[in-house]
Amino acid sequence: MVANTTSPPPSDKNKPTASRQQPSRHWAVRALLLISGMLVAGATSVLLILAIALATAYPNLPDISDMSDYRPKLPLRVFSAEGVLIGEFGEERRHLTPIQDIPKVMKEAVLAIEDARFYQHGGVDYIGVARAALANLGRIKSQGASTITMQVARNVYLSSEKTYTRKIYEILLTFKLEHLLTKDQILEIYMNQIFLGNRAYGFAAASEAYFGKPLKDISVAEAAMLAGLPKAPSAYNPISNPKRAKSRQLYIIDRMLENGFITASQADVAKREELKVKNGSSTAAVHAEFVAETVRQLMFAQYGPETYTRGLNVYTTLNAADQTAAYQALRRGIMNYERRQVYRGPEKFVSLPGTPAEAEDVIDETLAEHPDNGDVMSAVVLDANTKKITAIRQNGEMVEITGEGLKPAQSGLSDKAAANIRIRRGAVIRVVRTPKSSWEITQLPEVEGAFVAIDPRSGAIKALVGGFDFEKNKFNHVTQAWRQPGSSFKPFIYSAALEHGVTPATIINDGPLFFSAGVTGGQPWEPKNYDGKFEGPMSMRHALAKSKNMVSIRILQTVGAQNAQEWITRFGFDAEKHPAYLTMALGAGSVTPMQMATAYSVFANGGYRVNPWLITKVTDQKGKLLAETKAPALDDSVRAIDERNAFVMSSLLQEVARSGTAARAQATLKRPDLYGKTGTTNDSMDTWFAGYQPTLAAITWVGYDTPRKLGDRETGGGLSLPIWIEFMATALKTTPIMEVPVPEGVVNSGGEWYFTNYAPGSGISTLGSANESTDNQPQVIPLPPADEKRKILDLFKN
């Protein structure tokens, strides 16, 4: 029997079957399709929601068509004749600068830190937006991701609300801006619109506010410092937060290097550059606050509220160097006077805690309430004795005052000093640096002053300082202060006398005068000279040089008070401010420093009346001329007095500056073409010097707002004249010496000038005898009523 060798069929469990693989594939595919479907559905839903949101939001977007002609709010800016900024008025300090005028380094610094791909992307950084959305999920707070275009959309049109809805509007506006404007236009808006702290909007204004220079002149280091401000203008302010500002500046310099905007060597130089940051908020390089305020008032009267937003540029007649000289001279003169006054005590007392940190906080807070006043700086005393004061300034600088520097406040260091005067720990004091760079204690002055200088040939104002400090007292003493001029008014009486036959050689008695009650209608009047002495007969020239009161009264008697009252109106004075009494001879009326400048200009320019003027032209922000003023012509239509009268008066006033009460003028400045007159009123309540050189007439006044004695030894020659001299030393530095030409109608005889018709051999030669009495001549001695007379009787100082 043969065996069956056929192999058995394979077992079912060993066979691979489709029935086992099919379910596995089926579920995988189904899962993949399900996930894909969900993703597609989700994306579609998001797109639908987004489309609905966009469709709803887009019609509500603001109209941005006006952005193609960008016109932001621009302040009123006031400039000197040379184009130096002296004042700015407006809610937003901004200087609109076209993109082509913005320096490359400034644009690159901004791009490096704010939006390096600005010129490559379409307005939105999608990766950055997504990152910010994920980071902010569930929180109402934005992070990073904003491009320059988005910042423009937000800063110009949207609120500061931080929500997703606002973000959608921001993105939509960004697309609109990118479609409507070029990249350069968008960047120009950003560079001019962004707020950068210190009231500065735009980088041009910030450059002036922080560095005091135009944007075109900034360095890489300065550009990097400014570029750090948009993120947080307060936190990175180089004035108030110099350390944080420096840290961010260094980071931006690195970013500029990384983006290829600067080289490694440039980065190294920029990091080491020591920046000169301004220590105040004013952008003005010249102290002309009173001038700027005057311009503001004039512009507001013309343009109304638009004055502060339409970008007016006003150019003035002011000379920047002369203005600075006037400001410094007046302040120095007033502070020199203050050194001679009794110390009134510290401004405040504070209790200083024992720990340095706590004490530092108290000092910072206290000195913030008592800021520096120019070169008159505030400090808190840490220790004080009769030999040394140790104090600290707001910037942390330690101040040590010893020796001569203690003298102005010696009474406050005495153990017997009253509590409100004694200088001790916690006292708030004022200090100044001396010419030797040491410290001296001082105090803010209570006295005020004024200075004005004009070109007598045109009336153009060259310098004007209306007071010691504009922030302390905004009252403009040049134009608003009506004060008695004292002896500085005498030249106008003398000018009238020349027309009545009196000559510089006329002999007049400097002898006593007495007016009885029967003559005055009130109390007897016995005027005196400043020194109480009488020198007897003298020439009119000598009498004016020595400012003799008795001679001036006798001259006015000769002219007649009413004739003199009419004559002085030729110089711009108001007749009603100068009653027709003999006291007019002693300057008992009322004038302003500006009136005196106008009046003395008549002598300086040969007899013409000029009106002071300030504004030369007004332009809009693009330079279009809106208004212009031309210097007036000097012709017979503005003649006030004959040229011969002005010439002889200049000769007399030249004598005052050469040998009289103002002899210090020519002696100090060492030039003969200086003319003027001192003036001091009753009880030294006002001191004046009014003078000129043929190209510049200048007036100085010092006094208290509420009239009171300046001091028995304070005179026009001692207090006001030094201010005038210091100013003229700068103003006339490059001006050649000028000789006034001799006009027709005058002759020189024996070394003296005469009108031709009053030359020797004709006219009056002597006025008043040594023993004269006026009791028998009441008709030529008009005097004020008793109440007026009480105010002006004793105005007899030089």
Side-chain angles (χ1 to χ4, degrees):
M1 199 170 174
V2 178
N4 188 1
T5 58
T6 306
S7 299
S11 173
D12 288 343
K13 64 180 181 181
N14 293 326
K15 291 196 302 184
T17 63
S19 62
R20 287 187 174 272
Q21 297 176 0
Q22 187 73 21
S24 159
R25 290 184 184 144
H26 175 71
W27 285 107
V29 171
R30 286 180 64 186
L32 182 61
L33 291 174
L34 180 62
I35 292 172
S36 299
M38 290 177 65
L39 288 174
V40 171
T44 303
S45 299
V46 170
L47 290 173
L48 285 172
I49 293 171
L50 184 60
I52 294 171
L54 294 179
T56 303
Y58 201 85
N60 296 322
L61 292 177
D63 180 16
I64 64 171
S65 58
D66 59 340
M67 293 299 284
S68 59
D69 185 21
Y70 175 60
R71 293 185 182 181
K73 292 180 180 178
L74 296 173
L76 166 69
R77 292 162 66 87
V78 186
F79 300 90
S80 71
E82 306 89 346
V84 177
L85 181 68
I86 61 174
E88 196 168 30
F89 301 91
E91 294 179 5
E92 301 177 359
R93 180 188 295 156
R94 179 184 284 110
H95 185 192
L96 184 60
T97 308
I99 190 67
Q100 64 269 21
D101 294 335
I102 298 175
K104 182 181 178 183
V105 66
M106 188 70 255
K107 289 184 283 190
E108 291 177 340
V110 169
L111 293 176
I113 190 61
E114 293 294 332
D115 193 352
R117 295 182 59 254
F118 172 72
Y119 281 98
Q120 283 76 48
H121 63 62
V124 176
D125 183 349
Y126 296 102
I127 296 176
V129 170
R131 183 180 65 248
L134 291 174
N136 296 319
L137 191 62
R139 295 184 291 130
I140 304 177
K141 181 180 179 182
S142 65
Q143 283 189 4
S146 289
T147 64
I148 283 178
T149 311
M150 294 169 73
Q151 291 185 57
V152 169
R154 179 171 64 246
N155 292 331
V156 176
Y157 290 106
L158 300 177
S159 68
S160 58
E161 180 187 15
K162 296 183 179 180
T163 65
Y164 288 112
T165 301
R166 197 220 62 181
K167 196 69 177 177
I168 291 173
Y169 276 100
E170 183 180 308
I171 293 172
L172 292 176
L173 274 174
T174 297
F175 290 145
K176 288 190 73 172
L177 286 171
E178 289 277 345
H179 176 72
L180 178 68
L181 306 176
T182 66
K183 286 287 188 178
D184 278 350
Q185 286 177 309
I186 294 171
L187 186 59
E188 178 180 303
I189 294 170
Y190 177 84
M191 301 289 282
N192 284 283
Q193 183 73 22
I194 193 75
F195 175 63
L196 299 172
N198 218 26
R199 282 186 53 237
Y201 287 78
F203 288 92
S207 179
E208 294 175 345
Y210 293 110
F211 301 122
K213 61 168 62 175
L215 187 62
K216 64 182 179 65
D217 295 335
I218 62 169
S219 63
V220 172
E222 291 166 335
M225 182 71 78
L226 295 179
L229 291 167
K231 181 178 181 180
S234 177
Y236 298 114
N237 186 316
I239 296 175
S240 57
N241 289 302
K243 290 183 179 179
R244 294 187 67 180
K246 181 65 177 179
S247 176
R248 184 155 175 80
Q249 178 219 31
L250 295 176
Y251 173 67
I252 293 173
I253 292 173
D254 287 337
R255 291 282 296 158
M256 294 177 73
L257 178 60
E258 291 172 11
N259 283 277
F261 293 139
I262 57 176
T263 64
S265 60
Q266 287 177 310
D268 185 57
V269 171
K271 288 180 179 181
R272 289 186 286 104
E273 181 178 335
E274 185 175 343
L275 301 185
K276 296 180 180 179
V277 179
K278 294 180 66 176
N279 60 3
S281 61
S282 173
T283 61
V286 177
H287 282 284
E289 293 85 353
F290 289 97
V291 174
E293 172 59 16
T294 299
V295 171
R296 183 198 68 79
Q297 294 176 16
L298 292 171
M299 290 297 99
F300 188 83
Q302 179 71 26
Y303 297 101
E306 283 191 350
T307 298
Y308 310 121
T309 60
R310 65 180 292 179
L312 296 175
N313 294 316
V314 183
Y315 295 86
T316 67
T317 59
L318 211 69
N319 180 282
D322 288 354
Q323 178 66 24
T324 297
Y327 174 81
Q328 293 176 347
L330 182 64
R331 283 180 66 95
R332 195 168 359 257
I334 288 177
M335 291 308 299
N336 286 340
Y337 168 79
E338 197 59 47
R339 288 188 182 92
R340 302 191 288 272
Q341 306 313 300
V342 174
Y343 187 62
R344 297 183 293 274
E347 295 178 17
K348 185 178 182 179
F349 296 93
V350 294
S351 178
L352 297 180
T355 64
E358 292 177 336
E360 184 177 331
D361 290 341
V362 172
I363 290 170
D364 287 344
E365 183 178 338
T366 301
L367 293 182
E369 298 172 355
H370 298 263
D372 292 346
N373 187 301
D375 54 354
V376 184
M377 295 165 276
S378 58
V380 173
V381 174
L382 301 178
D383 185 53
N385 56 56
T386 56
K387 293 186 178 180
K388 184 171 76 171
I389 294 175
T390 302
I392 185 170
R393 292 186 54 217
Q394 189 172 25
N395 62 1
E397 182 181 8
M398 298 299 295
V399 174
E400 287 192 357
I401 309 171
T402 59
E404 292 292 316
L406 297 172
K407 280 192 174 182
Q410 199 67 53
S411 60
L413 294 171
S414 171
D415 292 335
K416 298 180 181 179
N420 65 323
I421 294 177
R422 189 161 62 88
I423 301 171
R424 56 188 183 273
R425 179 177 170 83
V428 180
I429 62 172
R430 293 284 167 171
V431 297
V432 294
R433 282 194 181 276
T434 68
K436 297 180 180 179
S437 296
S438 59
W439 290 100
E440 179 180 87
I441 189 169
T442 186
Q443 55 193 344
L444 283 175
E446 294 180 343
V447 74
E448 275 293 352
F451 188 96
V452 60
I454 70 175
D455 186 337
R457 300 164 298 181
S458 66
I461 297 172
K462 295 300 181 181
L464 187 155
V465 186
F468 178 79
D469 178 64
F470 181 77
E471 295 302 322
K472 174 173 169 275
N473 186 349
K474 293 179 171 58
F475 185 79
N476 190 337
H477 297 84
V478 168
T479 58
Q480 296 176 287
W482 291 91
R483 309 293 293 218
Q484 292 180 339
S487 295
S488 63
F489 195 75
K490 289 176 180 176
F492 307 107
I493 305 301
Y494 279 56
S495 173
L498 293 177
E499 300 297 325
H500 285 73
V502 183
T503 74
T506 298
I507 302 301
I508 308 165
N509 186 29
D510 176 33
L513 283 170
F514 177 80
F515 304 95
S516 67
V519 173
T520 65
Q523 297 178 351
W525 181 39
E526 188 176 6
K528 298 184 182 301
N529 287 317
Y530 168 60
D531 57 6
K533 300 176 181 178
F534 304 100
E535 296 186 24
M538 63 179 60
S539 69
M540 186 172 82
R541 176 179 292 276
H542 184 74
L544 184 62
K546 299 302 180 182
S547 198
K548 294 296 183 178
N549 291 327
M550 302 303 102
V551 173
S552 294
I553 294 172
R554 286 188 166 94
I555 288 176
L556 183 55
Q557 282 183 287
T558 299
V559 173
Q562 289 191 350
N563 290 333
Q565 185 188 45
E566 184 280 329
W567 183 259
I568 65 171
T569 62
R570 294 168 176 256
F571 297 88
F573 296 115
D574 303 319
E576 63 273 15
K577 297 279 189 183
H578 301 270
Y581 305 128
L582 287 183
T583 46
M584 188 196 312
L586 308 179
S590 296
V591 301
T592 67
M594 185 65 84
Q595 277 190 331
M596 292 292 279
T598 302
Y600 270 79
S601 291
V602 176
F603 295 141
N605 64 29
Y608 298 99
R609 167 84 177 276
V610 293
N611 291 316
W613 57 290
L614 183 60
I615 297 174
T616 58
K617 67 177 180 179
V618 181
T619 69
D620 64 12
Q621 79 276 12
K622 294 184 177 179
K624 180 182 177 182
L625 187 65
L626 302 179
E628 188 173 25
T629 304
K630 297 292 186 181
L634 298 184
D635 54 33
D636 287 341
S637 66
V638 292
R639 178 164 290 285
I641 61 176
D642 285 344
E643 187 178 5
R644 64 177 187 171
N645 188 299
F647 175 82
V648 174
M649 283 307 305
S650 287
S651 173
L652 293 174
L653 292 170
Q654 187 178 38
E655 190 67 43
V656 176
R658 178 170 54 233
S659 65
T661 56
R664 190 190 307 185
Q666 291 193 17
T668 303
L669 297 176
K670 302 187 185 308
R671 55 187 302 156
D673 57 341
L674 302 176
Y675 316 77
K677 183 70 185 74
T678 56
T680 312
T681 64
N682 184 34
D683 291 329
S684 296
M685 292 187 180
D686 301 87
T687 68
W688 296 79
F689 185 74
Y692 58 91
Q693 189 269 351
T695 64
L696 199 61
I699 309 297
T700 307
W701 166 84
V702 177
Y704 289 98
D705 280 339
T706 300
R708 70 176 196 250
K709 287 185 177 182
L710 289 164
D712 291 338
R713 296 184 178 181
E714 303 296 346
T715 65
L719 182 51
S720 293
L721 177 59
I723 297 171
W724 189 91
I725 291 174
E726 182 178 339
F727 167 78
M728 284 295 195
T730 298
L732 300 179
K733 194 171 185 178
T734 59
T735 303
I737 294 174
M738 300 179 65
E739 184 176 344
V740 179
V742 180
E744 294 183 2
V746 296
V747 295
N748 189 287
S749 177
E752 187 56 272
W753 294 102
Y754 300 86
F755 287 2
T756 302
N757 51 322
Y758 295 134
S762 64
I764 303 174
S765 60
T766 303
L767 292 179
S769 61
N771 61 352
E772 71 179 318
S773 170
T774 60
D775 282 351
N776 61 347
Q777 299 176 339
Q779 70 280 5
V780 297
I781 311 172
L783 289 170
D787 59 336
E788 278 292 317
K789 184 162 65 63
R790 276 194 295 272
K791 293 188 291 184
I792 55 180
L793 274 184
D794 297 320
L795 311 175
F796 311 124
K797 293 186 179 179
N798 297 353

